[in-house]
Amino acid sequence: MNTLWTVLALGTGLSLGMTGAIAQAPSGYDITVNSAIDGVVTPDDDLTLREAILLVNGALALEALSPAEQALVTPAVTSTIGFDLPSDDTAIALTAALPPLQAVGLVLDGTTQPGYGATRPYLPNVPVPVVSLTPAAGTEILTGLTITGSDVTVRGLNLYGFAASPRIATLTTPSADILVINRALPADLDPDAPMFEGLELADPEATITGVTIEQNWLGTPPDESMPEQRSAAGVVVHNATDVRIADNLIQHHEASGVITGFRADGLELDGNAIIGNGLAGMPDGVRLEGSLIGAAVTNNLICANDGSGIYLFKPEGAVQIESNAIRFNGRRFRRAAVYVMGHGHTIVGNEIGYQPGPGVAVSAYPLSDRNLIRENQFAQLDGLSIDLLAQGSSDILHFQRGDGPNPPRNHHHRRAETGNGAINAPEFNVYAFRTGPDYAIVGQADPGSEVDLYQIKQDAGFYSPLTEPLMTTTADGDGNFSFDWDTDAGAWVSAIASDPEFGTSEPAPVIGLPASNGTLPARPPTTVPFEATCYPPVAAIPDRPAEPIVLRVPRNIHFALDQSFISLESSFILDQIADAMQTYPSLTVELQGHTDPRASVGYNQALSERRALAARDYLLSQGIAAERLRIVPFGESRRRTQGNTTLDYARDRRVEFIFTDTQGLDIIFEAVESDLQIE
């Protein structure tokens, strides 16, 4: 088992904070929380969330509450915790970790708060929460809500700011806004105890089931700003089955938006907006590992995360990935939009694009096969739409980005050395012309495989993105296939082949189909104009002028020796850049980090990344969307000068901003040195 999941964080134990009776809970309670105050549990006029959870857990007797508090509690078959907080005080600042949600069938429902129901036009299914949970100022809390009971529902809440400084517990287990686990940890457990012996957190017999997490905002306040303290992860499912995570906004996390651990069989991840996660740690929007039998990732917007949109790491069981919009990921690492390890996954009907890497990469080690990748639409990729990795390409970059087109399979051993059994890409042969405008497109593929023909609408060379699926045919026993082309218009096309025994192939090289008059159509443009935005859907900005934009905006900032913090002078420059990007929404920027040549290559590479991250964090805090910002650290490899004076070194210590206008317009920017920091 990955050591990431050998231990779990502290802070989920029970603490009454008062001397009082411990009683068994009745079958359940309907409770209304009327106070946002958190702290010591005491009988008074205000019923807090902490008291409500202790009550439904059976850790606090109803008789220990005051008469005013008891009036807010009604016996019920199962427990529900609702809210009626003062309209001007709906943010609960937690002074310590809350007790776990362990009562079977408990519903913690933020939608009951008066005023709930307002929506953003771009998030119609995820209303803006009114009730927020966040650590009190100066308080470190690892997890916002810990769920240890079956059939628990958390709905309509806002959680952010849950993280902890590095120590053994946090280095081996990510903290999260919501943690789903089979049992809580003792509050007095030693975080330095090796492996937390004896907890048996991966015990399959202790699995909980039926948890629902829906319509929450995780990682960002209700105004969608970047919080001063970012949460570590969004939702972590360590050991639970049939968990449903639906219609949530999961944004601005240091690690992934959704992570699974030992077991998440039957996971349903549906209708979520998973945006701008992985800002400082595990970079992928959704990272799934462990047992995932019957898991499904459907209808999600997965955008602007720092690594892959979806990363399947050595999963057990097959995952369905269907009808998702996966775009503008790879903001910090050049990775595939979807990276697949394992067997039998189906990746169908997704929109995948705007990725500094391939669309879907299938791992070679451990051997991954029988993965079907069909009916997807790809756009703006730095790599193949589908890339089957080979074990011979062993550099770590090959496993992250892909290794490019495979040669035709020339030996049976390649079946066991290449993703999806090294199924061959289709090969087009000649055109068999018929009477009139109709003719057949013929070629060869693996015998018995189904061949999907795609139209190509972007000229990116021989392996342009597979834009639009057109039709499907089946190769015969000798591998021959044929498509009837019965339209007058010409087109540029490619194809993929799928065999249930091995999976889907890489794309065939693009070919041109002549029009009925025998002429080939013009190749599509290299870059189709688009706006870099997670929502609304990607589209060109209408009615833009054709002349270049001329902006008097700097293109670099500088840093002190061995530092990555933003100076006051540099902040003035970044403010100008932010203003320009807010004025021109089609601008995107690549933040290139640099150092002077002193220190080791590895140290300087990491320092250049920290500098680029610091500049990006500043722009994010100014409201610039993550999908418009991309990190590229260069270390000492691209010096500004070749001199060795203190002035030369000061010019080397920089972040350069490489701007692009996604509508295809030219831009003129200026380099400045007003923030140079000379030793």
Side-chain angles (χ1 to χ4, degrees):
M1 197 66 223
N2 190 320
T3 56
L4 180 67
W5 303 106
T6 58
V7 294
L8 282 174
L10 296 178
T12 58
L14 302 182
S15 177
L16 289 182
M18 63 171 288
T19 301
I22 305 297
Q24 293 295 321
S27 56
Y29 294 114
D30 284 339
I31 303 173
T32 299
V33 173
N34 70 340
S35 174
I37 298 172
D38 187 49
V40 176
V41 176
T42 183
D44 52 24
D45 292 338
D46 300 318
L47 185 58
T48 67
L49 178 59
R50 186 177 300 276
E51 291 170 329
I53 296 173
L54 290 172
L55 186 61
V56 300
N57 284 349
L60 178 64
L62 180 62
E63 294 75 15
L65 300 178
S66 71
E69 291 173 312
Q70 291 185 36
L72 299 169
V73 180
T74 303
V77 175
T78 57
S79 293
T80 299
I81 299 175
F83 296 87
D84 187 11
L85 303 176
S87 60
D88 60 347
D89 189 15
T90 59
I92 301 175
L94 299 177
T95 59
L98 289 168
L101 307 181
Q102 65 186 40
V104 175
L106 170 64
V107 177
L108 179 57
D109 194 352
T111 70
T112 58
Q113 172 65 30
Y116 180 86
T119 61
R120 303 278 199 266
Y122 45 84
L123 287 173
N125 298 323
V126 192
V128 182
V130 180
V131 179
S132 296
L133 305 181
T134 191
T139 303
E140 180 183 278
I141 300 178
L142 204 64
T143 303
L145 292 172
T146 300
I147 301 174
T148 62
S150 292
D151 300 317
V152 170
T153 296
V154 174
R155 178 187 301 128
L157 294 174
N158 174 222
L159 291 89
Y160 63 95
F162 294 98
S165 56
R167 56 177 183 261
I168 289 180
T170 56
L171 289 175
T172 53
T173 301
S175 60
D177 291 321
I178 299 178
L179 170 65
V180 183
I181 183 172
N182 53 306
R183 63 186 68 178
L185 302 185
D188 58 352
L189 187 66
D190 179 6
D192 296 324
M195 306 296 289
F196 289 158
E197 296 176 359
L199 289 177
E200 298 180 356
L201 295 172
D203 181 1
E205 301 301 322
T207 300
I208 62 174
T209 189
V211 170
T212 298
I213 300 167
E214 61 186 7
Q215 294 188 318
N216 303 284
W217 282 31
L218 306 179
T220 183
D223 63 1
E224 297 182 73
S225 63
M226 177 69 69
E228 183 175 346
Q229 170 61 59
R230 295 192 291 248
S231 293
V235 180
V236 173
V237 180
H238 175 67
N239 189 358
T241 63
D242 298 326
V243 175
R244 182 173 183 267
I245 303 171
D247 296 326
N248 302 280
L249 172 62
I250 305 174
Q251 189 172 23
H252 294 330
H253 293 90
E254 302 236 321
S256 299
V258 177
I259 306 172
T260 62
F262 171 73
R263 184 182 301 276
D265 295 335
L267 173 71
E268 181 182 351
L269 192 62
D270 183 75
N272 303 281
I274 302 172
I275 299 173
N277 301 289
L279 297 175
M282 188 180 291
D284 310 303
V286 176
R287 183 181 174 98
L288 304 180
E289 61 179 285
S291 183
L292 290 157
I293 299 170
V297 182
T298 57
N299 303 304
N300 301 282
L301 170 61
I302 303 174
C303 182
N305 300 287
D306 268 14
S308 294
I310 301 173
Y311 195 107
L312 304 185
F313 182 75
K314 299 182 180 180
E316 301 172 22
V319 179
Q320 174 192 5
I321 300 173
E322 184 172 348
S323 301
N324 302 282
I326 306 170
R327 53 183 180 242
F328 297 112
N329 297 290
R331 298 296 86 193
R332 182 159 54 101
F333 294 106
R334 292 181 61 189
R335 293 187 176 177
V338 179
Y339 190 96
V340 173
M341 294 183 182
H343 314 283
H345 308 301
T346 56
I347 304 171
V348 178
N350 303 281
E351 297 176 9
I352 300 173
Y354 306 91
Q355 183 80 16
V360 179
V362 179
S363 173
Y365 184 85
L367 181 63
S368 303
D369 59 13
R370 305 190 302 279
N371 300 294
L372 295 177
I373 309 161
R374 305 183 68 178
E375 300 178 19
N376 303 284
Q377 295 179 309
F378 299 90
Q380 299 288 131
L381 299 172
D382 182 7
L384 298 176
S385 297
I386 302 169
D387 197 340
L388 308 183
L389 308 184
Q391 289 185 13
S393 302
S394 57
D395 191 289
I396 188 173
L397 299 180
H398 295 143
F399 288 95
Q400 293 179 347
R401 304 180 192 173
D403 58 5
N406 294 332
R409 189 178 59 256
N410 56 9
H411 196 278
H412 66 274
H413 283 318
R414 286 202 40 223
R415 289 287 196 191
E417 296 173 348
T418 306
N420 273 0
I423 181 172
N424 277 325
E427 293 184 356
F428 294 109
N429 294 338
V430 297
Y431 305 116
F433 288 91
R434 299 176 177 178
T435 304
D438 299 345
Y439 58 90
I441 311 163
V442 301
Q444 290 188 320
D446 279 13
S449 62
E450 291 190 333
V451 182
D452 299 330
L453 188 71
Y454 272 79
Q455 186 168 0
I456 301 302
K457 295 185 178 180
Q458 176 195 337
D459 181 4
F462 291 112
Y463 296 94
S464 299
L466 303 173
T467 308
E468 180 183 351
L470 296 176
M471 60 185 86
T472 299
T473 191
T474 301
D476 64 20
D478 295 323
N480 299 308
F481 68 84
S482 175
F483 292 100
D484 291 331
W485 189 259
D486 57 2
T487 62
D488 291 337
W492 295 89
V493 299
S494 178
I496 53 177
S498 297
D499 184 326
E501 184 178 355
F502 301 108
T504 300
S505 74
E506 294 181 342
V510 176
I511 64 168
L513 304 180
S516 58
N517 61 7
T519 62
L520 282 173
R523 285 297 305 258
T526 301
T527 301
V528 178
F530 65 93
E531 182 178 356
T533 178
C534 288
Y535 34 59
V538 175
I541 301 174
D543 302 325
R544 286 293 303 272
E547 68 274 7
I549 302 173
V550 180
L551 300 174
R552 301 300 178 190
V553 176
R555 61 171 297 171
N556 51 253
I557 60 172
H558 297 89
F559 294 84
L561 175 64
D562 198 29
Q563 299 297 324
S564 58
F565 64 85
I566 304 297
S567 69
L568 180 62
E569 292 78 11
S570 295
S571 70
F572 296 151
I573 297 172
L574 287 168
D575 287 342
Q576 296 177 56
I577 292 172
D579 287 343
M581 297 189 73
Q582 288 165 350
T583 302
Y584 298 96
S586 62
L587 287 180
T588 64
V589 64
E590 184 172 276
L591 294 86
Q592 300 181 350
H594 302 271
T595 71
D596 67 38
R598 296 171 291 181
S600 69
V601 171
Y603 183 88
N604 282 336
Q605 185 69 21
L607 177 59
S608 70
E609 181 176 351
R610 292 197 298 273
R611 286 172 173 167
L613 285 170
R616 183 182 68 170
D617 283 352
Y618 188 96
L619 293 175
L620 288 172
S621 71
Q622 299 302 304
I624 305 303
E627 59 267 30
R628 301 173 64 192
L629 308 170
R630 180 166 172 250
I631 297 292
V632 181
F634 284 108
E636 63 185 65
S637 64
R638 295 191 179 185
R639 296 190 59 196
R640 179 68 183 273
T641 69
Q642 295 304 310
N644 57 5
T645 67
T646 56
L647 178 60
D648 293 324
Y649 291 151
R651 287 171 169 160
D652 290 337
R653 299 190 297 267
R654 70 199 189 280
V655 167
E656 290 191 1
F657 301 90
I658 308 303
F659 291 89
T660 301
D661 187 287
T662 60
Q663 299 301 297
L665 303 180
D666 296 327
I667 313 163
I668 301 173
F669 287 88
E670 295 180 332
V672 297
E673 296 186 345
S674 60
D675 65 337
L676 276 177
Q677 300 184 62
I678 301 175
E679 301 160 51

